[in-house]
Amino acid sequence: MKRRIFLQNTGLLAAGLAASKVSFAAAPDFPIVRVAPSKRHFVSQSVDAAIAEFHKNVKNKELAYLFENCFPNTLDTTVTYTQEDGKPDTYVITGDIDAMWLRDSTAQVTPYLPLVKGDKKLQNLIHGVINHQVKSIIKDPYANAFYGDPNKVGEWKTDHTDMKPGVHERKWEIDSLCYPIRLSYQYWKLTGDTTPFDNTWREAISVILKTFKEQQRKNGQGPYHFQRETMFATDTTPLSGYGYPVKPVGLICSAFRPSDDATIYNFLIPSNFFAVISLRQAAEILTAVHKDTTLVAELKALATEVETAIQKYAVVTHPKFGKVYAFEVNGYGSFNIMDDANVPSLLALPYLGAVKTTDPIYINTRKLILSSENPFYFQGTAAKGIGSPHTGIDKIWPIAVTMQGLTSTTDAEIKSCLQILQKCHAGTGFMHESFHMDDPSKFTRSWFAWANTIFGEFLWKVYKEKPHLLA
């Protein structure tokens, strides 16, 4: 199923909903919707223990019900764990689409990392995701999504680009190469295990560095181009598939956003921020594991170059909010003021570790993008939040509301985000890609594991740090 044409659905269509199930949530107001134990793809004792603990201690039974359904959704419905050549290998689909996005797969399993201690099965599963991502990057660093079958021919018959077997889609997005580094780094920091970081992993990092440098476009357009025969302007790129011109100022071009929508100006600032932190994280791992001083120096130098260019070209003055970060720039002085719902976003910069919540430019930017000055901020009778060109006008994304809560520093804002998400699941027990600001029953993607699992991450964080907000 293609993301672009996955139709709006208001029924209970998430995977396995019709099957018989066992659940903590047995009250009439909360019908059992979690997939039955016998049909779950992967069972983690630590995740199930977290669900039981949440149910026991959280008084708001609807939030407990949502946590039980959403937090384990990635494990319940999307992962396939195997061993390949004696090493863990984990294929992770997004939900309704049988393909593995480098971005989504990282975001889907990251919320489980704090629970891996004492759960070797879960640790191996995440180790397997890293291994699978590394193979995918080496196959094609410009692709954003891959099939489980490395020989499967892609379904996009009208894409004009260098497609390879096993590639589902070839939309070049900076974050596709950042997310695997993020997963590797967080896995290493939480487990101390360096097993995934072998010579193949090191090769993938070299490929990432090469790709980022190519897309600085200092020596021509680079090898990547992409055009699709489509009625959607956001699904293709202009000017022979290279996009509109940019001035080579040190920033990295991204043909597409994390939403899989085409950029307007190729220097996508949230993704360049993400690249800076990712390059430094890769350098830290390589320093500890491989002692590769040459590659480490190149990674650090590129990170510094991009960081310097961000501060020079991405900080603009808004007439109402003062100095803010632009969403996209071209190096010639043109810029785009907005934010998108998907991550990386300007809103998510502290979550990614790219800036501090106290950064004055981020504070100004946050005020802007959570206001009507952001053309994709929608406020209706049911909810308010950031949406995306990907789903159209007046559609709010639960991921964006969740990210607002995860990056908030005030109890009132966190509580407001929880309330919006609680009342906007449309009786399904799950989060969705988007919903209409006036009517949450009008939603897209009834089975979108990232939205579910990151909402579970948000609930678990609040439970551990501010449990009074869950009353």
Side-chain angles (χ1 to χ4, degrees):
M1 184 68 73
K2 301 174 184 178
R3 287 189 184 215
R4 175 64 64 186
I5 63 171
F6 190 80
L7 300 179
Q8 172 179 299
N9 196 297
T10 60
L12 300 180
L13 296 182
L17 299 192
S20 60
K21 303 165 186 71
V22 176
S23 170
F24 292 101
D29 290 342
F30 306 126
I32 296 169
V33 294
R34 186 182 176 190
V35 68
S38 62
K39 296 181 181 296
R40 293 172 190 168
H41 286 211
F42 187 89
V43 176
S44 163
Q45 292 181 343
S46 60
V47 170
D48 285 342
I51 293 168
E53 181 183 339
F54 198 94
H55 264 280
K56 179 181 178 181
N57 297 318
V58 173
K59 293 180 180 180
N60 186 321
K61 295 308 175 187
E62 187 169 14
L63 287 180
Y65 166 70
L66 290 170
F67 183 72
E68 177 193 347
N69 301 332
C70 293
F71 188 54
N73 189 244
T74 287
L75 300 182
D76 286 353
T77 67
T78 70
V79 300
T80 301
Y81 176 78
T82 58
Q83 293 271 331
E84 188 170 301
D85 298 326
K87 298 178 181 179
D89 185 273
T90 309
Y91 175 61
V92 187
I93 65 173
T94 68
D96 49 55
I97 307 167
D98 186 8
M100 179 169 170
W101 267 254
L102 294 175
R103 169 184 54 256
D104 294 42
S105 58
T106 293
Q108 286 169 246
V109 301
T110 294
Y112 305 128
L113 280 169
L115 303 177
V116 296
K117 290 183 178 179
D119 192 338
K120 187 63 175 177
K121 282 180 58 182
L122 185 60
Q123 181 175 330
N124 286 341
L125 179 97
I126 297 174
H127 181 173
V129 176
I130 296 171
N131 288 346
H132 200 99
Q133 290 177 336
V134 162
K135 290 187 298 182
S136 299
I137 290 167
I138 292 172
K139 177 188 282 282
D140 186 355
Y142 283 106
N144 55 322
F146 300 81
Y147 294 115
D149 179 355
N151 299 311
K152 182 176 178 178
V153 177
E155 64 184 85
W156 298 103
K157 305 304 182 185
T158 60
D159 284 5
H160 302 284
T161 191
D162 182 19
M163 290 291 286
K164 297 177 175 65
V167 171
H168 169 70
E169 192 171 53
R170 196 171 190 258
K171 289 181 172 179
W172 160 239
E173 301 158 359
I174 292 172
D175 68 283
S176 293
L177 299 185
C178 295
Y179 268 109
I181 295 174
R182 174 177 170 82
L183 182 61
S184 293
Y185 186 80
Q186 291 184 315
Y187 174 90
W188 175 49
K189 287 296 183 179
L190 286 166
T191 68
D193 179 25
T194 61
T195 309
F197 312 129
D198 55 15
N199 287 329
T200 305
W201 184 89
R202 183 199 172 283
E203 180 185 352
I205 299 301
S206 295
V207 169
I208 290 171
L209 177 66
K210 178 177 181 290
T211 306
F212 282 172
K213 286 185 172 181
E214 287 173 349
Q215 289 307 312
Q216 287 183 296
R217 299 195 181 177
K218 293 181 178 180
N219 300 299
Q221 299 276 49
Y224 175 82
H225 57 87
F226 179 97
Q227 287 178 297
R228 174 174 293 171
E229 296 175 26
T230 175
M231 64 181 289
F232 298 102
T234 51
D235 259 353
T236 189
T237 51
L239 297 180
S240 302
Y242 293 99
Y244 291 115
V246 295
K247 186 177 182 180
V249 295
L251 294 168
I252 303 166
C253 286
S254 190
F256 289 87
R257 300 168 179 170
S259 58
D260 298 334
D261 289 347
T263 51
I264 295 173
Y265 302 121
N266 278 345
F267 292 145
L268 180 59
I269 297 308
S271 293
N272 272 267
F273 265 112
F274 199 7
V276 171
I277 192 72
S278 298
L279 288 163
R280 288 174 176 158
Q281 288 174 344
E284 188 176 339
I285 296 173
L286 283 166
T287 299
V289 179
H290 286 272
K291 318 296 184 190
D292 189 334
T293 55
T294 301
L295 182 54
V296 165
E298 289 186 72
L299 292 165
K300 288 182 176 180
L302 181 57
T304 299
E305 182 183 8
V306 175
E307 183 177 53
T308 301
I310 288 172
Q311 295 306 317
K312 184 173 181 179
Y313 293 97
V315 178
V316 300
T317 300
H318 187 272
K320 181 176 179 180
F321 294 99
K323 287 187 176 181
V324 298
Y325 293 118
F327 184 65
E328 295 167 348
V329 302
N330 65 1
Y332 288 105
S334 300
F335 58 89
N336 185 8
I337 292 289
M338 61 168 283
D339 202 16
D340 203 347
N342 222 308
V343 181
S345 60
L346 294 173
L347 181 66
L349 292 178
Y351 175 81
L352 298 172
V355 303
K356 297 184 182 298
T357 56
T358 54
D359 173 6
I361 300 177
Y362 173 76
I363 291 172
N364 291 345
T365 307
R366 185 185 180 90
K367 291 176 181 176
L368 186 159
I369 59 182
L370 295 174
S371 79
S372 59
E373 293 297 306
N374 173 10
F376 292 95
Y377 183 81
F378 306 121
Q379 184 165 353
T381 57
K384 58 183 179 180
I386 297 172
S388 171
H390 195 73
T391 46
I393 300 300
D394 297 338
K395 293 286 184 65
I396 295 166
W397 281 45
I399 284 179
V401 179
T402 298
M403 190 53 59
Q404 183 181 347
L406 283 168
T407 56
S408 176
T409 58
T410 69
D411 284 6
E413 186 177 22
I414 295 169
K415 183 72 172 179
S416 173
C417 293
L418 289 169
Q419 290 172 338
I420 288 172
L421 294 164
Q422 180 178 339
K423 73 177 184 178
C424 290
H425 65 95
T428 67
F430 292 99
M431 296 294 108
H432 306 113
E433 178 187 49
S434 71
F435 61 87
H436 195 278
M437 65 183 189
D438 295 325
D439 185 358
S441 70
K442 297 177 180 179
F443 60 78
T444 57
R445 299 189 71 181
S446 58
W447 180 22
F448 185 27
W450 180 6
N452 288 322
T453 311
I454 197 170
F455 177 51
E457 177 184 359
F458 179 34
L459 288 173
W460 188 247
K461 184 175 189 291
V462 175
Y463 169 70
K464 287 296 187 180
E465 298 176 5
K466 297 176 179 289
H468 59 282
L469 298 180
L470 300 174

